[in-house]
Amino acid sequence: MPRLRLALNQIDSTVGDIDGNAESVLRWTRHSAEQGAHLVAFPEMTLTGYPVEDLALRSSFVEASRTALRSLAARLADEGLGAVPVVVGHLDRSATAQPRYGQPAGAPQNAAAVLHGGEVALSFAKHHLPNYGVFDEFRYFVPGDTLPVVRVRGVDVALAICEDLWQDGGRVPAARSARAGLLLSVNASPYERDKDDTRLELVGKRAQEAGCTTAYLAMTGGQDELVFDGDSIVVDRDGTVLARAPQFTEGCMVLDLDLPAADAEAPTGVVDDGLRIDRVVLSEAGQEAADAVPAGESWRSGGHAEPLDDDEEVYSALVTGLRAYVAKNGFRSVLIGLSGGIDSALVASIACDALGAQQVYGVSMPSKYSSGHSRDDAAELARRTGLHYRTVSIEPMFDASTGALELTGLAEENLQSRLRGTLLMALSNQEGHLVLAPGNKSELAVGYSTLYGDSVGGYGPIKDVYKTSVFRLAEWRNRAARDRGRTPPIPENSITKPPSAELRPGQVDTDSLPDYPVLDAILALYVDGDRGADEIVAAGYDRELVTRTLRMVDTAEYKRRQYPPGTKISSKGFGKDRRLPVTNRWRESG
């Protein structure tokens, strides 16, 4: 039985940085070859980054990807790496017209290629195109119609791209029909809470359907609102896990696989779902045993990284998302308005963990309604984390504005928030920081925020985190610090005191909102689950409360459209996942 040493490079890519991504492929291929790899793989659309969105519609960008792919193949050979087959995702175009999809020849394709001997030995396009949630792939791409099979060291390796595993049919049963010894899928599947369990179950199921060992290689890092958690998995034909990579970590997983030799009687032609087998022989059976994996930065053969617990996983996703957004957009530091409350405290903790405290700047902006304990809590947070801290009172600006405009009531309250937003943006302009908006998903859902006030900023790290989860994550972060013998970053008082915007005397959030556990449960059904009012009431919630909550959600759409992007951790975040018209008279509540 041939032994194949497989190197799965779980790495990050930057959208549009084709040259930088190519250098990354070159570097990690060199590392994989040093580990004695026989087959090297990289995630979906590594060369262009993912998702490229409307860049796919620009012929210049598509051609740049195609040119870079050929150049990369030549460079690999020039550096003595041409003998190792390398699977790399890229952006391509169809060679023929696609009348079924109304597309001419040259339509963009989400593709991958096998580079070998200085050439593109094999190229193929994603067969199943996702068109739900954050995915718009039918907007951009036409599907592939082949089952690519590459023979390496006498083993037939069937290849697939992401959604080809997530949907039934297509390349998975076709791999069984082609009698492949290994099914390798390259992916850029975005993170969602609890998706790691779903992914593990999926890969095991597909391996049994394909009748062969299955390797699922995933991307890590972040792109705008999306986070990629890695968690690459290899299972045998029965679904038993052979290796699993860490989450949110870049690296190379190398493992030796004893696989069945290619079947001389394997079929050719068209198999399942009309897919045409495209088989390329690169090398026949070689030595039966590979050398031991040398020491290096690879994860060892047979390694099984334990998945993170739920709170650590979500927190890690938030850290990864913010770090990627800051780095990939050229910012050096971030600025946060510190109120002493739980939201800004959690955002500051995430920022310090993502960037280091020296790159995090906090400013307290008290008014006459700011409590002494809130000021103290903000200062204590800064002391515990080591971030840069200053205090700038908004009272002189507030007094001047109210004196000139004679504002009262809600207008007076919102003015305080808007003055703080103006001050933050002024400091951003002056000092070059990226302002972080501290709003959570509960507040965004019901419109409990001030436009051009607490909603200002370039990124919202907890935009997709419900308030109840904000408390849980803060408690987890403090507990994790204590477990390591370190100072918990978030003051206990910020966690235990009643949430308040402190825009009028004695104000607390429950003056305007239901208790957060009840509110969040209703929002999860309505926002995340698309349940109607009657269904939510049937789930055990008071109709009057449901009616009031849904009306707040419906009338706040215009505010959410103007909120900055933020890390997506749920199955339906505010943004590309959930698309509702601003002008809309439909009301679930009548």
Side-chain angles (χ1 to χ4, degrees), residues 288-364:
E288 294 303 310
D291 297 331
V293 178
E297 57 186 306
S298 298
W299 301 309
R300 295 306 181 84
S301 176
H304 188 172
E306 290 300 322
L308 305 175
D309 69 39
D310 291 346
D311 291 333
E312 184 176 7
E313 178 185 281
V314 170
Y315 190 89
S316 299
L318 299 174
V319 168
T320 299
L322 177 59
R323 179 187 295 130
Y325 192 85
V326 169
K328 291 182 178 182
N329 286 286
F331 292 100
R332 295 187 301 273
S333 56
V334 296
L335 176 66
I336 309 165
L338 297 179
S339 68
I342 186 67
D343 294 323
S344 62
L346 180 61
V347 168
S349 176
I350 292 167
C352 289
D353 289 337
L355 310 173
Q358 289 304 305
Q359 278 66 53
V360 180
Y361 292 74
V363 55
S364 171

Side-chain angles (χ1 to χ4, degrees), residues 204-412:
K205 177 184 177 183
R206 296 309 190 211
Q208 294 174 50
E209 293 171 353
C212 63
T213 297
T214 297
Y216 182 100
L217 168 61
M219 184 179 286
T220 191
Q223 168 61 29
D224 290 347
E225 295 185 294
L226 301 182
V227 174
F228 304 95
D229 64 324
D231 191 30
S232 299
I233 304 167
V234 182
V235 303
D236 67 16
R237 61 181 299 162
D238 297 320
T240 301
V241 176
L242 301 176
R244 190 170 187 177
Q247 292 177 278
F248 307 105
T249 304
E250 192 171 46
C252 173
M253 183 163 68
V254 178
L255 67 161
D256 290 332
L257 298 171
D258 292 319
L259 301 169
D263 188 340
E265 303 298 321
T268 58
V270 176
V271 288
D272 304 72
D273 282 7
L275 295 174
R276 185 187 75 256
I277 295 176
D278 187 3
R279 196 186 306 271
V280 173
V281 176
L282 298 182
S283 58
E284 293 292 358
Q287 64 187 56
E288 294 303 310
D291 297 331
V293 178
E297 57 186 306
S298 298
W299 301 309
R300 295 306 181 84
S301 176
H304 188 172
E306 290 300 322
L308 305 175
D309 69 39
D310 291 346
D311 291 333
E312 184 176 7
E313 178 185 281
V314 170
Y315 190 89
S316 299
L318 299 174
V319 168
T320 299
L322 177 59
R323 179 187 295 130
Y325 192 85
V326 169
K328 291 182 178 182
N329 286 286
F331 292 100
R332 295 187 301 273
S333 56
V334 296
L335 176 66
I336 309 165
L338 297 179
S339 68
I342 186 67
D343 294 323
S344 62
L346 180 61
V347 168
S349 176
I350 292 167
C352 289
D353 289 337
L355 310 173
Q358 289 304 305
Q359 278 66 53
V360 180
Y361 292 74
V363 55
S364 171
M365 298 168 285
S367 75
K368 62 183 179 181
Y369 300 122
S370 299
S371 63
H373 62 75
S374 289
R375 301 184 197 199
D376 292 344
D377 293 340
E380 176 64 11
L381 171 77
R383 186 192 68 79
R384 292 185 180 204
T385 59
L387 59 78
H388 301 277
Y389 181 70
R390 74 189 102 175
T391 298
V392 181
S393 174
I394 65 167
E395 286 194 51
M397 294 178 281
F398 178 73
D399 291 341
S401 298
T402 53
L405 299 173
E406 299 182 355
L407 301 177
T408 60
L410 184 61
E412 181 186 43

Side-chain angles (χ1 to χ4, degrees), residues 161-180:
I161 302 175
C162 202
E163 195 72 8
D164 293 340
L165 257 65
W166 287 92
Q167 290 191 30
D168 292 336
R171 284 179 173 146
V172 173
R176 176 184 283 273
S177 297
R179 303 176 194 172

Side-chain angles (χ1 to χ4, degrees), residues 111-123:
V114 180
L115 309 183
H116 184 257
E119 304 288 340
V120 177
L122 177 69
S123 183

Side-chain angles (χ1 to χ4, degrees), residues 77-96:
D78 289 345
E79 297 208 12
L81 302 170
V84 182
V86 178
V87 182
V88 58
H90 64 105
L91 179 62
D92 204 354
R93 64 171 76 255
S94 63
T96 60

Side-chain angles (χ1 to χ4, degrees), residues 5 7 9 26-38 40 79-81 84 252 254 294:
R5 180 166 291 169
N9 289 282
L26 189 66
R27 178 171 66 88
W28 283 103
T29 299
R30 185 183 302 112
H31 171 76
S32 299
E34 290 169 354
Q35 305 298 300
H38 303 136
V40 179
E79 297 208 12
L81 302 170
V84 182
C252 173
V254 178

Side-chain angles (χ1 to χ4, degrees), residues 70-218:
R70 295 190 295 269
S71 175
L72 177 60
R75 287 190 63 191
L76 288 167
D78 289 345
E79 297 208 12
L81 302 170
V84 182
V86 178
V87 182
V88 58
H90 64 105
L91 179 62
D92 204 354
R93 64 171 76 255
S94 63
T96 60
Q98 301 281 331
R100 180 179 175 185
Y101 305 100
Q103 294 288 345
Q109 290 186 308
N110 178 339
V114 180
L115 309 183
H116 184 257
E119 304 288 340
V120 177
L122 177 69
S123 183
F124 63 100
K126 196 175 191 174
H127 177 59
H128 285 310
L129 298 178
N131 209 53
Y132 53 86
V134 299
F135 305 107
D136 283 321
E137 297 210 10
F138 269 116
R139 172 182 171 89
Y140 304 114
F141 306 126
V142 292
D145 57 4
T146 66
L147 174 69
V149 179
V150 57
R151 185 169 298 172
V152 181
R153 294 176 62 83
V155 176
D156 277 351
V157 181
L159 302 171
I161 302 175
C162 202
E163 195 72 8
D164 293 340
L165 257 65
W166 287 92
Q167 290 191 30
D168 292 336
R171 284 179 173 146
V172 173
R176 176 184 283 273
S177 297
R179 303 176 194 172
L182 173 68
L183 173 59
L184 169 62
S185 178
V186 297
N187 310 271
S189 181
Y191 169 80
E192 291 174 10
R193 188 175 46 235
D194 301 325
K195 193 174 185 179
D196 56 332
D197 297 329
T198 304
R199 183 187 294 133
L200 178 60
E201 181 181 353
L202 172 81
V203 176
K205 177 184 177 183
R206 296 309 190 211
Q208 294 174 50
E209 293 171 353
C212 63
T213 297
T214 297
Y216 182 100
L217 168 61

